Amino acid sequence: MKINNCGITVSQQSSERQPQTDIMPVTAYKTDIIYNGLAFFTKHNPFYTVLFYFFVSYVMTYVIGILTGQLNGGGGRNPMYTYILDNLCMGILAPIGAGLITNLYKKISAATEIIGSKRIIKDADLPSYQALLNKFDAKFNNYYITAASAVSALFISGFIYFHRKTSWLGIAGGITGIYDSIFVFLNFAMIITIVYKSCITIWLIQKIIAFDINIRPMHPDHAGGLRHIGSLSMAVNYFLILVMFYFSLLLIFDAFAQRFILIYLIFYVFTFFIFFASLYEAHKKMRRVKDEALEKLENTSNHYYYKLVTSAGALGIYDLDSADEIIMVDNLYTIVEKMPVWPFNINNIIKFFSVFITPFIIFIISLLANTDSILYNWKIIFNLLSK
């Protein structure tokens, strides 16, 4: 008896057969000028990108602030280190965002190749899959989006520079303000670009799942062989979670933003929903394949159990070969039973929830720390429900 990853069969079929079509993976950073500039120094390494961007955008700003006398404020400006929200955004969120962009680009390149080479897409659908990648490439690496992001970021950073006259981020910051405004521009350009590209990537994931994908319940990645699809989805959703962090900081440090707590709460729920909704079709297919494999294994176990008891009744002894087969089937049943019905293993799930829950905890703490805000928003909710 031969057992493959899809169930029980009596034929010996090679699972390592190479696809007939060579898949050309998508180079995700072709039109991203800002990222290519960073990658020249960081060599496409997410960790190095975080460190490098933190140094050039935040540490060097403080160095210039010290050299120009801006560090301690003056002229109606407070010391640079007293602007907590600005420091958190420029010193933590922006470098992490740059690292997440690197991670997303690497995941896209790796996943689009592996999905074809590992036969997640069946051989007959590989030409259609390559056509999908070509369409995705055209949408993802769109020069017009790059230009639109740059123009939009220029207007936003210009507004901040000329209208924040009491901050070191504005025109009153002198050379420090000019230097830092460059990174404000880069930050917004990357944010606008990556929001668009995240939407296109979610579209790609849904199109890939629409294929007759090869789900293998006994695959060693403990995700039905679809770990790379799940990892790609997580790479996209990390950006939404980063936005949640930003909203949570606004709720703590920005009195004006605290008026819109209900909107932020809706965004938190949306972020959680979009993560699983983008993979729902994969979930249904994985559930079906898992149930089918468990049913086959159960039938196989019953077959050898019947053979075992029948031989004992006729000869007075158990057929040890049948007993061994039952043990093997039982082991395989345990493996398939533990297979998740979402395209990521337990470690991926733990990472997602640990990152997701942190800004939510900050959000709850901000509510508990602001009684007036809770009462204000509870009244809004009550009024909405009573209409």
Side-chain angles (χ1 to χ4, degrees), residues 19 21-26 107-137 203-213 228-229 232:
T21 303
D22 292 330
I23 298 299
M24 297 297 295
V26 175
K107 293 289 187 183
I108 289 174
S109 297
T112 52
E113 179 179 17
I114 290 173
I115 288 171
S117 63
K118 297 288 186 180
R119 298 183 66 246
I120 296 173
I121 299 293
K122 295 184 177 180
D123 289 358
D125 291 328
L126 286 177
S128 298
Y129 174 62
Q130 183 63 70
L132 172 64
L133 292 187
N134 295 339
K135 188 175 181 180
F136 168 74
D137 193 359
W203 171 83
L204 173 68
I205 293 171
Q206 292 177 328
K207 290 294 184 180
I208 291 173
I209 294 172
F211 283 106
D212 185 14
I213 53 178
H228 294 285
I229 295 178
L232 181 56

Side-chain angles (χ1 to χ4, degrees), residues 7-176:
I8 306 300
T9 182
V10 294
S11 65
Q12 186 172 6
Q13 181 183 23
S14 172
S15 62
E16 301 299 326
R17 180 166 53 90
Q18 296 298 316
Q20 298 175 353
T21 303
D22 292 330
I23 298 299
M24 297 297 295
V26 175
T27 303
Y29 49 83
K30 286 191 299 188
T31 60
D32 195 329
I33 300 173
I34 297 173
Y35 173 80
N36 283 316
L38 286 174
F40 178 80
F41 299 98
T42 62
K43 307 304 179 185
H44 306 284
N45 185 298
F47 180 71
Y48 293 159
T49 301
V50 172
L51 292 181
F52 179 78
Y53 201 75
F54 172 78
F55 177 78
V56 297
S57 69
Y58 188 68
V59 174
M60 287 303 299
T61 298
Y62 266 82
V63 170
I64 295 174
I66 293 172
L67 296 176
T68 59
Q70 294 290 333
L71 178 64
N72 296 318
R77 296 180 308 281
N78 296 324
M80 292 172 59
Y81 49 83
T82 62
Y83 294 90
I84 298 176
L85 183 59
D86 291 338
N87 279 276
L88 290 174
C89 291
M90 300 299 293
I92 297 178
L93 297 187
I96 291 176
L100 289 178
I101 291 175
T102 305
N103 179 60
L104 175 61
Y105 286 168
K106 288 173 67 70
K107 293 289 187 183
I108 289 174
S109 297
T112 52
E113 179 179 17
I114 290 173
I115 288 171
S117 63
K118 297 288 186 180
R119 298 183 66 246
I120 296 173
I121 299 293
K122 295 184 177 180
D123 289 358
D125 291 328
L126 286 177
S128 298
Y129 174 62
Q130 183 63 70
L132 172 64
L133 292 187
N134 295 339
K135 188 175 181 180
F136 168 74
D137 193 359
K139 292 176 178 289
F140 193 87
N141 290 308
N142 189 320
Y143 284 101
Y144 291 107
I145 296 300
T146 302
S149 299
V151 172
S152 301
L154 185 62
F155 277 106
I156 296 172
S157 59
F159 178 84
I160 293 173
Y161 179 74
F162 288 107
H163 286 79
R164 293 196 64 178
K165 298 180 180 179
T166 59
S167 169
W168 50 280
L169 291 175
I171 190 172
I175 297 177
T176 308

Side-chain angles (χ1 to χ4, degrees), residues 157-305:
S157 59
F159 178 84
I160 293 173
Y161 179 74
F162 288 107
H163 286 79
R164 293 196 64 178
K165 298 180 180 179
T166 59
S167 169
W168 50 280
L169 291 175
I171 190 172
I175 297 177
T176 308
I178 294 174
Y179 181 81
D180 208 61
S181 66
I182 295 173
F183 291 97
V184 173
F185 163 77
L186 296 178
N187 291 341
F188 279 106
M190 288 190 291
I191 290 171
I192 296 170
T193 299
I194 224 61
V195 166
Y196 167 82
K197 291 189 174 184
S198 294
C199 294
I200 298 301
T201 305
I202 291 175
W203 171 83
L204 173 68
I205 293 171
Q206 292 177 328
K207 290 294 184 180
I208 291 173
I209 294 172
F211 283 106
D212 185 14
I213 53 178
N214 220 346
I215 301 171
R216 290 158 285 185
M218 303 169 204
H219 197 280
D221 70 357
H222 304 292
L226 306 182
R227 177 174 60 88
H228 294 285
I229 295 178
S231 296
L232 181 56
S233 180
M234 289 187 66
V236 172
N237 282 274
Y238 279 149
F239 286 101
L240 295 177
I241 295 174
L242 191 67
V243 175
M244 289 171 53
F245 270 108
Y246 178 64
F247 284 169
S248 300
L249 294 176
L250 285 177
L251 290 174
I252 296 175
F253 298 108
D254 192 326
F256 179 77
Q258 293 170 3
R259 302 178 184 181
F260 306 100
I261 292 179
L262 186 59
I263 296 176
Y264 300 147
L265 180 60
I266 293 173
F267 181 82
Y268 290 155
V269 175
F270 169 78
T271 300
F272 184 84
F273 170 79
I274 198 67
F275 176 69
F276 290 99
S278 64
L279 298 172
Y280 183 68
E281 287 301 319
H283 162 71
K284 291 196 300 184
K285 291 182 178 182
M286 293 178 74
R287 165 57 67 185
R288 186 188 71 248
V289 171
K290 178 178 180 178
D291 290 342
E292 290 174 353
L294 289 175
E295 183 179 1
K296 290 178 183 178
L297 288 167
E298 184 178 353
N299 293 338
T300 304
S301 178
N302 291 336
H303 168 77
Y304 284 101
Y305 178 76

